[in-house]
Amino acid sequence: MPSYEQLRELLDPASTVLMTVECQQGVVGPESALPELAAEARSSGALANVARLVSAAHQSGVQVLHAIAERRPDGRGANHNARLFRAAGRLPVQQLSGTAAVRIAPPVEVADEDLVVRRLHGLSPVAGTDVDPLLRNLGCRTLLITGVSANIAIPNAVFDAVNLGYTAVVPADAIAGVPADYTPAMIRNTLALVATITTAQEVLGAWKRPYRAG
């Protein structure tokens, strides 16, 4: 893990964006299409830590971006080229545009200044979406990645961010996947090789003291 000063420099509010990944009611909420993942996100404290980080970002002037996965009711444009997509199409809860399933799940709060990026295809919150041009227009250098799942969307986001030239930072206790022991293995063996791994508390501490302008 980086030193306190290194983390503070990485997480300068002027050049950092906090991204929440699929923290939506149909994924991590009580009526989730993926109840095992939802239970893990809540019981592990990951969703609560995402909420803490979002709240601190709002107070510290850090831009928040919520990445949502959804599909049209008619399925147009959605992928069908992997078992995951076909299985998702049979789930009792569908992530349909405009429904409660694609709203951000409590306790994560959405402020007026937050950006919400919705994708209708693929596995990545970044590739093939508006995320990269938005980050560049915001002057982002560091992308703080939180949410679910450590199985697929989180590593996709990290790899894409690194490939695009951003520094990826992952609070290990603000992401979740299934089974529970998979997340630390993914962090240790994969994400730690390409991202800065930290904790929610360390991020909060880095933002606690005011930054000097300039």
Side-chain angles (χ1 to χ4, degrees):
M1 288 190 180
S3 69
Y4 172 76
E5 288 304 326
Q6 288 172 327
L7 189 62
R8 240 178 95 73
E9 183 177 354
L10 273 180
L11 296 176
D12 185 338
S15 55
T16 297
V17 172
L18 167 61
M19 181 168 71
T20 75
V21 177
E22 295 180 29
C23 291
Q24 56 202 75
Q25 294 189 35
V27 176
V28 296
E31 304 299 323
S32 172
L34 304 164
E36 185 182 2
L37 177 59
E40 177 60 25
R42 291 177 177 274
S43 65
S44 68
L47 188 61
N49 282 330
V50 173
R52 292 170 65 208
L53 289 169
V54 168
S55 178
H58 291 156
Q59 295 173 22
S60 303
V62 173
Q63 179 67 55
V64 176
L65 185 153
H66 304 281
I68 300 296
E70 60 182 53
R71 59 183 288 149
R72 288 167 49 113
D74 60 10
R76 286 181 182 271
N79 287 66
H80 304 283
N81 58 335
R83 188 175 69 175
L84 173 68
F85 301 123
R86 295 190 292 271
R90 297 191 297 268
L91 292 172
V93 177
Q94 295 290 305
Q95 314 298 319
L96 299 181
S97 302
T99 67
V102 297
R103 296 176 190 157
I104 298 298
V108 180
E109 295 184 349
V110 182
D112 290 342
E113 63 269 22
D114 292 0
L115 296 171
V116 179
V117 175
R118 302 178 182 277
R119 78 178 193 275
L120 294 172
H121 62 87
L123 299 170
S124 175
V126 178
T129 74
D130 289 337
V131 168
D132 181 38
L134 290 174
L135 295 182
R136 295 192 186 281
N137 288 345
L138 290 164
C140 175
R141 294 197 299 270
T142 299
L143 186 61
L144 183 63
I145 299 169
T146 66
V148 297
S149 73
N151 305 75
I152 296 175
I154 296 297
N156 262 268
V158 170
F159 296 150
D160 288 339
V162 172
N163 285 333
L164 289 167
Y166 302 102
T167 297
V169 176
V170 179
D173 54 356
I175 66 171
V178 290
D181 59 359
Y182 181 78
T183 300
M186 165 59 78
I187 292 169
R188 181 174 60 253
N189 297 306
T190 302
L191 299 186
L193 302 178
V194 292
T196 297
I197 306 302
T198 184
T199 67
Q201 192 58 45
E202 288 176 334
V203 174
L204 295 173
W207 286 340
K208 192 171 184 181
R209 286 169 45 194
Y211 283 75
R212 288 180 298 180

